[in-house]
Amino acid sequence: MSSSDLNNPPVFAPPSTNGGPSEHGSRRSSDRRAHPLRRAEDQPPPRATVSLVVPARNEARNIPWVFEQIPDCVDEVILVDGDSSDATVHMAADCLPTVRQVRQSGPGKGNALRTGFLSATGDYIVMMDADGSMVPGEIPHFLHFLDNGYDFVKGSRFIAGGGSLDITRIRRLGNQVLLTATNRLYHASLTDLCYGFCAFRRSFLKDLDLHSTGFEIETEMITHALRSGLRIAEVPSLELPRRSGRSNLHAISDGRRVLRTLLSERPHARTPSPTRGSTG
Ligand SMILES: Nc1nc2c(ncn2[C@@H]2O[C@H](COP(=O)(O)OP(=O)(O)OP(=O)(O)O)[C@@H](O)[C@H]2O)c(=O)[nH]1
Ligand SMILES: [Mg+2]
C-alpha cells in the first residue's frame, strides 16, 4: 500500500518547459520524434494518457471559454450533461468536435462525475467544472505531481499561489469547519476540502469507491483517498467567479450533505474494509 504524504505536503513546483519526457506541461509530439542514433530502449517510456471529465448543467454560455483553453496534454474530454435545458450539449460539440458526451444516470454533480469516471479511458482522470471558475491552464500542474508518483492531486485555494475570487463568507466558514473536522479525523493537514478541481490515477477509481450523488462527492473522494492511503498532493488553484448563469449549489443543504458524508465515513464508523490499494 502506498503512503500518504499529507504531513509534508509537497512544495508546488510548476512543470519545467525544457521538454522533460515525464512532464505533462511540455509533452508534444515533436518531443517524441525518433532520433536516428537513438535505440528503442533509449526512448522515454510512453506518456500517461489523460481524460478530462467535465460535469455541466446549463453551461452553454461558459463552455466556449472553458473548452478553448484545454491544454494539448489532455487526450480525451468527456462532458457529462445533467439534462441541461439550454444548448450545453450542442455548444460542447460545436466547440470541440472530438468531445465525448455522456448522459448521467441520475440527478446531481456526484452522479455526473461517477458516470464520467466510468467512461474515461485515460491513465489519469482530471475533473473540472464547466462554469469557467477553474482555469484549464492549471491542468499540467496537477499532472506534474501524478507523473512524479502521487496518486491523487487536489487543487487548493488556500495555499500560497492559490485563491478565490468567488467564495462567500458562509462558504468559506463552512469549508473551514468541514476541513478542520476532516484533518482531525484523518490526522491530515489538507488546506481545502470543498473544491472540485482534482486529478487521480484511474487505476485507483475502485479504491475511491464512490457513491455520492451531489456536491458531497468531493469530500467522499478525499476521505476515501485518505482512508486508502493514497499519496495525496495539493497544488495551488485560483477559483474565478462563474462566468455566467446560476449556481447549482445551496450552501446550507449541500453543506449538511457534506457533513453527513464526513460523519458516516469517519474512521471506525464503518466495519473495516479489507486492505486495498497499491502503488500506482
Ligand atoms: N451533469 C451535471 N452537472 C452538474 C450538476 N450540478 C452541477 N453541475 C456542474 O458542476 C459544476 C459545479 O457546479 P456549480 O453550480 O458551479 O457549483 P459551485 O461551483 O459550487 O457554485 P458557483 O460558485 O456559483 O459556481 C458546474 O460545471 C455545473 O454545471 C448536475 O446535476 N449534473
Ligand atoms: Mg461553480
Side-chain angles (χ1 to χ4, degrees), residues 55-57 59 80 82 104 108 112 129-131 166 171 242 247-248:
R57 184 173 159 82
E59 305 286 8
V80 191
Q104 60 187 97
D129 290 351
D131 60 353
D166 185 44
R171 284 196 193 190
R242 68 162 36 253
S247 173
N248 295 277

Side-chain angles (χ1 to χ4, degrees), residues 52-70 77-82 84 86-97 99 101 128-134 136 242-245:
L52 174 64
V53 175
V54 184
R57 184 173 159 82
N58 296 329
E59 305 286 8
R61 293 163 72 98
N62 301 322
I63 293 272
W65 185 90
V66 175
F67 276 19
E68 73 190 18
Q69 294 183 70
I70 293 175
V77 179
I78 298 171
L79 182 112
V80 191
D81 174 52
S84 296
D86 70 1
T88 293
V89 166
H90 299 291
M91 189 58 87
D94 205 47
C95 293
L96 188 67
V99 69
Q101 303 228 22
M128 189 186 70
D129 290 351
D131 60 353
S133 58
M134 296 162 186
R242 68 162 36 253
R243 293 183 66 77
S244 162

Side-chain angles (χ1 to χ4, degrees), residues 157-158 164-169 171-173 175 239:
R157 297 163 291 178
F158 305 114
S164 177
L165 305 179
D166 185 44
I167 196 163
T168 58
R169 276 229 296 256
R171 284 196 193 190
R172 185 186 290 271
L173 180 67
N175 188 56
E239 180 185 40

